[in-house]
Amino acid sequence: MQTVWLTGAEWLAVLRIGLGLWWLESWRHKDKKGWFERGTGIAWAADVAGRHRWPAVKSGFDAVVAPRPKLMAHVVVYAELALGLGLVTGLLTPVALVGGLLLNLLYLVLMIHDWAEQGQNAMMALISLVALLAVSWQTWSLDSVIGLFR
């Protein structure tokens, strides 16, 4: 498919790279000292989960995240970095897209009361799904250069 400036595959690569930059911005603006040393990110999430309208969210948080807050803080922060780098460079792109989709859906469920967060996470999840189903790693990616995921 040819469009005004780029081919369809190139536009999909632009979409993928833009999503990666969005993840990198999410990582960049986090107060890492707060997340890692003071536990602010996990404490905030615990508060949200504790007041959630769905009991499964609180029980899931209590079972998975609460027992290991430092580990989970590192998982969240570095997952966002890894997703961003993977999508921008196009390395292990399908893995990054599935991981990002799952993380956005998790954020979406956790933040069910916050319309701004819901919009951002829904949009990121939709972009992940489109980029995944449209095989967006075929253009401008390390995956295509080294022949992964043909």
Side-chain angles (χ1 to χ4, degrees):
M1 175 171 84
Q2 184 65 38
T3 63
V4 176
W5 294 299
L6 302 172
T7 67
E10 289 167 341
W11 279 116
L12 287 167
V14 168
L15 190 66
R16 182 199 81 230
I17 292 165
L19 180 61
L21 292 172
W22 201 342
W23 278 115
L24 288 175
E25 175 56 21
S26 181
W27 172 80
R28 186 200 63 80
H29 84 263
K30 276 194 176 32
D31 173 12
K32 284 126 188 116
K33 192 171 191 170
W35 272 74
F36 299 148
E37 294 177 16
R38 296 186 308 276
T40 56
I42 299 301
W44 168 80
D47 180 58
V48 172
R51 294 181 288 114
H52 205 281
R53 72 173 79 158
W54 300 339
V57 171
K58 181 182 181 336
S59 61
F61 187 92
D62 289 345
V64 176
V65 180
R68 48 192 80 75
K70 287 190 183 273
L71 172 64
M72 295 311 291
H74 283 81
V75 166
V76 169
V77 171
Y78 289 114
E80 291 182 357
L81 175 62
L83 291 169
L85 291 174
L87 293 172
V88 168
T89 63
L91 182 63
L92 301 175
T93 310
V95 175
L97 289 168
V98 169
L101 176 62
L102 293 174
L103 193 55
N104 280 127
L105 292 175
L106 182 68
Y107 290 170
L108 186 68
V109 168
L110 181 62
M111 297 303 302
I112 200 79
H113 303 296
D114 186 334
W115 287 102
E117 281 291 323
Q118 279 188 331
Q120 172 180 308
N121 288 298
M123 187 58 60
M124 291 176 80
L126 178 62
I127 293 169
S128 294
L129 188 61
V130 168
L132 181 66
L133 296 177
V135 194
S136 66
W137 54 91
Q138 292 179 337
T139 302
W140 300 342
S141 74
L142 291 175
D143 289 338
S144 69
V145 169
I146 61 179
L148 288 177
F149 311 111
R150 289 183 183 225

